[in-house]
Amino acid sequence: MGPNCLVIAGEKSGEEHCLSFFDSLQSSYPEMSFWGVGGDDLQSRGMDLLYHLKDFSSMGFSEVILKIPFYFKALKTIEDEVKKRQCKVAILIDFQDFNLKLSKKLKSLGVKVLYYVAPQAWAWKEWRAKTIQETTDTLFTILPFEKKWFQDRGVKNVVSLKHPLWLSYKDKILEEKTRVEPRNDKNWTKRQKTILLLPGSRNSEVSSLLPVFARAIECLSNRWEVDLRIVTSENVSDAYYKPFAHLFSRVYESKSLGDALLEADLAVAASGTVTLATALFSVPTVVCYKLSLLNNFIFYNFLNYDGPISLANIVHGDFVFPELFNEEFSDFNVAQALNNWLEDYEKFSTLKNRLRGTEALLRGEMEDVAPCLEGLLRESYVNNG
């Protein structure tokens, strides 16, 4: 068998992280073949999919519980395929519940594990640092404080990266930074404002969030002139978007997120990686999330973490974006949070200027991880050839 690498990108955000280095890695190491779990974008680049992320991803504790039999079967299938392909190296991307279990199996098979995007063990399940220490050859972190946190808990090979979102959207973010906002937009309360909806990349997210988002904007439309737009996901059924299609002046595919953010004044988003994107593009955003009753019970009774939930707020170490979580998530509260910016240009402008410092907070030892990964991949086959 020729050199091959297992890649696990079990969620859309994981695939996007992978895309930030995949083309460069393929170009510099063309004899390496990639296989595993991913989406349409990775498949179109030649990755051999054992599973599509649409079938693989889940949200919250209750969905994970329901899919446990599927995940155990997938673990066995991947383990058998590792043996069949004589695979010697794996890149596991985020997706911590599954990937940490897989990393133990891979370690026992002598596979070098490169873990890209560290599990958020600092927020909950701190013991996961021990699993990382025991099973991972190199850990790649993307938040500024994570390297020291994991090193303090015994993880030896830790490489800190500038967040891959920066690399993915660098040119467009720099384009946004060249814009000069007027010190006092006298037409702000009168002119049309573009509001962008980012309701997530899973059916369950969009089905619970988008109807509330839409009602909130309808409330605002009674007072403000709004140009409403949306970014859709190819992983979400059109049936969840169709009832609201008449509200949108423009619909963007997920690959056009950068263009959508360049044209947006404000955004309403599901909590996730996309909130860091809105911060990097200096778009004030209302962050929302809604858990099922079971997930909500587990969150409030078994987790000790009480800090910010959205990635933008975690990076800033402050609640730069309002977070409407569970019982606080309502059309009234979403509309009120947006209205705070719509009626006060000074608040909007002050936050926008603060967000322009987001990129400076994303410190890291390297910006382009592809050469590092190439070296580790080559090494795994030279040393185990």
Side-chain angles (χ1 to χ4, degrees), residues 100-341:
L100 287 178
K101 289 182 176 65
L102 178 60
S103 68
K104 294 178 182 179
K105 291 184 177 290
L106 295 175
K107 186 69 174 179
S108 69
L109 295 172
V111 176
K112 175 182 284 188
V113 174
L114 312 177
Y115 206 117
Y116 186 83
V117 182
Q120 294 181 345
W122 41 268
W124 63 300
K125 295 187 178 180
E126 186 173 333
W127 52 265
R128 287 179 165 178
K130 186 172 181 2
T131 303
I132 289 284
Q133 178 207 345
E134 294 172 346
T135 65
T136 299
D137 292 270
T138 304
L139 175 67
F140 296 90
T141 63
I142 60 173
L143 295 179
F145 58 87
E146 288 182 319
K147 178 174 182 176
K148 183 177 186 304
W149 191 93
F150 280 100
Q151 285 180 326
D152 288 347
R153 286 154 182 81
V155 182
K156 293 181 180 178
N157 296 324
V158 186
V159 177
S160 65
L161 306 173
K162 201 157 187 177
H163 200 286
L165 268 183
W166 164 251
L167 192 60
S168 298
Y169 295 108
K170 182 177 179 179
D171 291 341
K172 290 188 181 296
I173 292 169
L174 291 175
E175 181 182 339
E176 195 287 327
K177 284 179 177 290
T178 63
R179 299 180 178 182
V180 178
E181 289 293 314
R183 292 182 63 84
N184 184 18
D185 186 346
K186 294 179 180 178
N187 293 320
W188 173 249
T189 57
K190 297 178 182 178
R191 74 168 174 84
Q192 186 181 67
K193 265 76 71 175
T194 300
I195 298 180
L196 183 66
L197 302 187
L198 302 160
S201 58
R202 302 180 182 96
N203 285 325
S204 53
E205 284 179 319
V206 176
S207 64
S208 65
L209 299 182
L210 185 53
V212 182
F213 288 5
R215 290 198 301 271
I217 302 303
E218 285 181 321
C219 290
L220 290 173
S221 298
N222 294 327
R223 180 180 176 189
W224 306 104
E225 188 178 351
V226 172
D227 175 10
L228 187 62
R229 304 180 181 188
I230 190 171
V231 175
T232 61
S233 171
E234 64 272 21
N235 298 318
V236 174
S237 169
D238 287 340
Y240 294 109
Y241 300 119
K242 194 171 182 180
F244 311 100
H246 64 286
L247 299 174
F248 308 123
S249 69
R250 185 167 178 185
V251 176
Y252 304 85
E253 296 179 351
S254 57
K255 63 184 178 183
S256 299
L257 174 63
D259 293 324
L261 289 172
L262 274 176
E263 296 166 3
D265 291 308
L266 301 169
V268 187
S271 181
T273 306
V274 74
T275 67
L276 183 57
T278 64
L280 283 167
F281 279 86
S282 306
V283 179
T285 301
V286 181
V287 181
C288 308
Y289 220 68
K290 187 176 182 180
L291 294 173
S292 69
L293 289 175
L294 174 59
N295 292 336
N296 196 39
F297 173 79
I298 294 173
F299 183 87
Y300 282 110
N301 288 279
F302 295 98
L303 304 187
N304 296 320
Y305 181 68
D306 60 357
I309 295 168
S310 68
L311 194 51
N313 289 346
I314 290 170
V315 167
H316 276 269
D318 192 11
F319 287 88
V320 291
F321 289 162
E323 294 183 352
L324 302 179
F325 191 67
N326 284 353
E327 66 272 6
E328 294 180 348
F329 174 55
S330 68
D331 50 0
F332 175 82
N333 286 342
V334 172
Q336 189 61 40
L338 289 170
N339 197 61
N340 286 337
W341 294 316

Side-chain angles (χ1 to χ4, degrees), residues 7-22 37-39 42 53 91-95 99 116-117 164 201-202 273:
V7 176
I8 304 293
E11 298 179 294
K12 184 58 185 173
S13 61
E15 182 179 51
E16 289 168 355
H17 286 319
C18 189
L19 291 172
S20 71
F21 63 76
F22 194 78
V37 180
L42 285 173
L53 62 82
I91 301 173
L92 309 184
I93 304 173
D94 203 0
F95 206 58
N99 277 337
Y116 186 83
V117 182
S201 58
R202 302 180 182 96
T273 306

